[in-house]
Amino acid sequence: MKLEGCTDMTIRAFGRHFREGLKNLVRNGWMTFAAMTAVMITLAIVGMAMMIALNAEQMSHYVANQLEVSAYLKQNLNSAEGQAVATDVRRLPDVKSVVVVTKSQGLKQLQADLGSQYSDLLRGLHSNPLPVTLIIKANNPKETLQVASEVKSIPEVSSVNDGAQYVRPLFRVLDIARNIGLVFVLALFLTAMFLISNTIKIAIFSRRREIEIMRLVGATNGFIRMPFLVESTLIGMIGAAVPAAVLGYVYEYLYRVTGGVFYGLHFPLVPATEFVVKLVVALLALGFVIGAWGGFVSVRKFLRA
Amino acid sequence: MIEMQDVSKEYANGKKALENISVHIGKGEFVYVVGPSGAGKSTFIKLMYREERPSSGHIFVNGFNIERLKNRKIPYLRRSIGVVFQDFKLLPKLTVAENVSYALEVTTAPKRNMRRRVKDALDWVGLTEQADRWPDQLSGGEQQRVAVARALVNNPAVIIADEPTGNLDPENSWSVMKLFQRINDRGTTIVMATHNKEIVNTIRKRVIAIEGGKIIRDEARGMYGYDD
């Protein structure tokens, strides 16, 4: 019974604090507006950085997934024997997929590559000089070179093209790009935290007299703090909801217009739904944390006796 | 009710505001605290609602032991006291009724008769009509009456007032003083620091005069005693 009464009190008290917080939000019109604008602008920038970072990440994945090893089998092996080798290769632990290109497929590919102009060249051939080729992808693109050397040691394989000359620099560039992006987003995040909590601090500072009066008439610290927390959390959340909605809409629009590929380069973009969900979750969570934290820190300053 | 024994207060900057003050104020008394500016009146008043801590000595207010009172218990002391200030100290973003109601809400008193009690308090100070207005829409005298309503809505045993008529013209001063007199008639103890000679000499009550941090005079039905 006692517990029930207690819970009832807590809920009633929270209702009161929530109403008060909402009321303060409206009554402090300009200060609320200023704080919300600061949140909106900074989180809009964070959102844009997210848009770039997520797509860069997606791009680097896409590029990395294009990496493959071509293993040319010995000339005397026919397609059926090639399939047998492919089965062995598939058993290697780091191998994701193996595609067998038979001699005739290889020739057709070559003809297509050369174009009609040079097709006469190939017509002079008595037999197909191309080996059976295995196109191998590694589970993790970074293991491509390792897979290549494993495949090279198979006796039926005559030679391997692992693209080592461009795989290594590619990964170095991608790593650097990702790290720069990470530092950039982190710096932006910290700036946003600082800016927003500062604005909230100023908004609350202008009300230190109110807090002093509340203390004088016997309000406990918790009673004073709660409406402020509700207020600053709402500032953070509303300030996050607006750029989330706008950026989400813009991305969805751009995705539709471009057909989901990066203009001119044919990189697929992060799917609209996936991006919007990530954006909304990230911005709202940021808004919540920044608002609640900013409010807490600022009020605490004035509640110290 | 209010008991001070050998109370001294020295501020961090070394200024001695009060030296060895001992005083007893009983239930239902009406006490003026007078003296020149900087004599220690404000410190004397602030010690009672624990805005300041005594450097030495003992203070008891409404059964609270002030020197032992933990910071987080201060709100409970303040709910048992009504405070009225020279600058009214109303919450600017709350209406008149909400300002009075705030003093009740902090006690987490049952909501049931809260509205009733707020209305009664506003009726009592004659501001029924102004309930939904904002503090800055009221005159100084009206604002001070709101502050009085807020101070008495909890039915405190003691009301402490620091220069309550300091910002008011004579007419408003008298109407606010009449309120304090009526509150005192109900049995509430009143301690009032004041500079208002005319009031002290007209509404004759106990007078405690403080000078240089010491009580130099404590008379029942005293006079203001300064020329100002």
Side-chain angles (χ1 to χ4, degrees), chain A residues 9 12 16 19-20 23 27-28 207 209-210 212-220 223-224 305, chain B residues 49 51 71 75 78-79 83 85 87 89-94 98 102 105-106 108 111 134 150:
Chain A
M9 270 298 289
R12 191 143 42 97
R16 186 253 172 216
R19 271 196 313 280
E20 286 301 303
K23 205 154 70 180
R27 289 186 186 175
N28 286 293
R207 287 156 67 185
R209 210 181 110 85
E210 282 179 48
E212 183 208 323
I213 296 169
M214 292 169 180
R215 290 168 61 110
L216 280 176
V217 298
T220 56
F223 192 85
I224 297 172
Chain B
Y49 59 92
E51 182 70 11
N71 280 346
R78 296 198 176 155
R79 290 173 198 175
V83 281
F85 299 93
D87 57 352
K89 293 205 193 297
L90 298 177
L91 291 162
K93 300 279 166 37
L94 299 186
E98 284 168 345
Y102 193 85
E105 284 169 34
V106 299
T108 56
K111 199 141 191 118
W134 304 98
R150 179 179 64 186

Side-chain angles (χ1 to χ4, degrees), chain A residues 193-268:
Chain A
M193 283 288 262
F194 175 77
L195 256 174
I196 293 166
S197 73
N198 227 32
T199 316
I200 292 175
K201 219 179 274 175
I202 291 167
I204 288 180
F205 184 77
S206 70
R207 287 156 67 185
R208 67 194 183 289
R209 210 181 110 85
E210 282 179 48
I211 294 177
E212 183 208 323
I213 296 169
M214 292 169 180
R215 290 168 61 110
L216 280 176
V217 298
T220 56
N221 285 354
F223 192 85
I224 297 172
R225 187 186 297 124
M226 283 311 287
F228 276 107
L229 282 191
V230 170
E231 187 182 345
S232 66
T233 307
L234 283 175
I235 288 178
M237 300 276 283
I238 297 171
V242 173
V246 171
L247 283 179
Y249 179 81
V250 166
Y251 189 84
E252 211 271 319
Y253 175 79
L254 288 178
Y255 191 83
R256 209 153 15 93
V257 168
T258 57
V261 288
F262 191 73
Y263 178 76
L265 290 172
H266 298 293
F267 288 124

Side-chain angles (χ1 to χ4, degrees), chain A:
Chain A
M1 286 309 275
K2 198 176 173 209
L3 196 74
E4 257 173 45
C6 176
T7 317
D8 182 52
M9 270 298 289
T10 318
I11 291 169
R12 191 143 42 97
F14 183 77
R16 186 253 172 216
H17 295 316
F18 192 81
R19 271 196 313 280
E20 286 301 303
L22 211 62
K23 205 154 70 180
N24 288 340
L25 208 61
V26 177
R27 289 186 186 175
N28 286 293
W30 279 108
M31 229 42 225
T32 303
F33 182 74
M36 252 182 219
T37 312
V39 178
M40 279 181 213
I41 292 171
T42 30
L43 287 189
I45 296 171
V46 169
M48 281 188 259
M50 251 181 93
M51 199 188 276
I52 295 165
L54 284 179
N55 274 300
E57 169 96 358
Q58 168 97 349
M59 237 175 251
S60 81
H61 269 291
Y62 177 78
V63 171
N65 277 321
Q66 302 295 305
L67 290 179
E68 52 194 27
V69 177
S70 304
Y72 307 107
L73 303 189
K74 297 218 165 106
Q75 275 294 346
N76 54 0
L77 296 179
N78 62 27
S79 297
E81 286 162 325
Q83 288 291 356
V85 178
T87 313
D88 287 344
V89 173
R90 279 194 193 98
R91 290 213 188 92
L92 293 173
D94 297 324
V95 170
K96 186 164 106 189
S97 67
V98 179
V99 174
V100 180
V101 180
T102 60
K103 287 176 179 240
S104 52
Q105 281 168 341
L107 193 61
K108 250 181 230 155
Q109 184 64 43
L110 187 60
Q111 270 166 348
D113 289 349
L114 288 175
S116 54
Q117 227 181 322
Y118 300 102
S119 56
D120 289 348
L121 274 174
L122 298 175
R123 224 171 265 150
L125 294 171
H126 300 294
S127 62
N128 186 338
L130 298 175
V132 176
T133 308
L134 303 183
I135 311 287
I136 304 160
K137 278 191 181 177
N139 273 327
N140 178 346
K142 290 198 167 180
E143 286 158 3
T144 305
L145 292 180
Q146 199 200 322
V147 167
S149 71
E150 281 170 29
V151 170
K152 206 179 242 170
S153 64
I154 297 172
E156 288 89 345
V157 174
S158 85
S159 71
V160 162
N161 180 3
D162 57 11
Q165 71 278 14
Y166 65 88
V167 168
R168 283 201 183 91
L170 175 69
F171 278 113
R172 206 174 315 128
V173 169
L174 287 181
D175 280 350
I176 291 170
R178 207 210 15 242
N179 289 342
I180 290 175
L182 216 65
V183 169
F184 188 65
V185 167
L186 199 72
L188 212 58
F189 173 75
L190 290 178
T191 314
M193 283 288 262
F194 175 77
L195 256 174
I196 293 166
S197 73
N198 227 32
T199 316
I200 292 175
K201 219 179 274 175
I202 291 167
I204 288 180
F205 184 77
S206 70
R207 287 156 67 185
R208 67 194 183 289
R209 210 181 110 85
E210 282 179 48
I211 294 177
E212 183 208 323
I213 296 169
M214 292 169 180
R215 290 168 61 110
L216 280 176
V217 298
T220 56
N221 285 354
F223 192 85
I224 297 172
R225 187 186 297 124
M226 283 311 287
F228 276 107
L229 282 191
V230 170
E231 187 182 345
S232 66
T233 307
L234 283 175
I235 288 178
M237 300 276 283
I238 297 171
V242 173
V246 171
L247 283 179
Y249 179 81
V250 166
Y251 189 84
E252 211 271 319
Y253 175 79
L254 288 178
Y255 191 83
R256 209 153 15 93
V257 168
T258 57
V261 288
F262 191 73
Y263 178 76
L265 290 172
H266 298 293
F267 288 124
L269 295 169
V270 179
T273 323
E274 185 192 328
F275 176 77
V276 171
V277 167
K278 280 184 180 167
L279 177 83
V280 169
V281 169
L283 290 196
L284 284 184
L286 267 179
F288 178 84
V289 170
I290 289 170
W293 181 75
F296 185 80
V297 171
S298 332
V299 180
R300 193 181 52 180
K301 224 167 100 184
F302 301 114
L303 286 181
R304 281 200 197 111

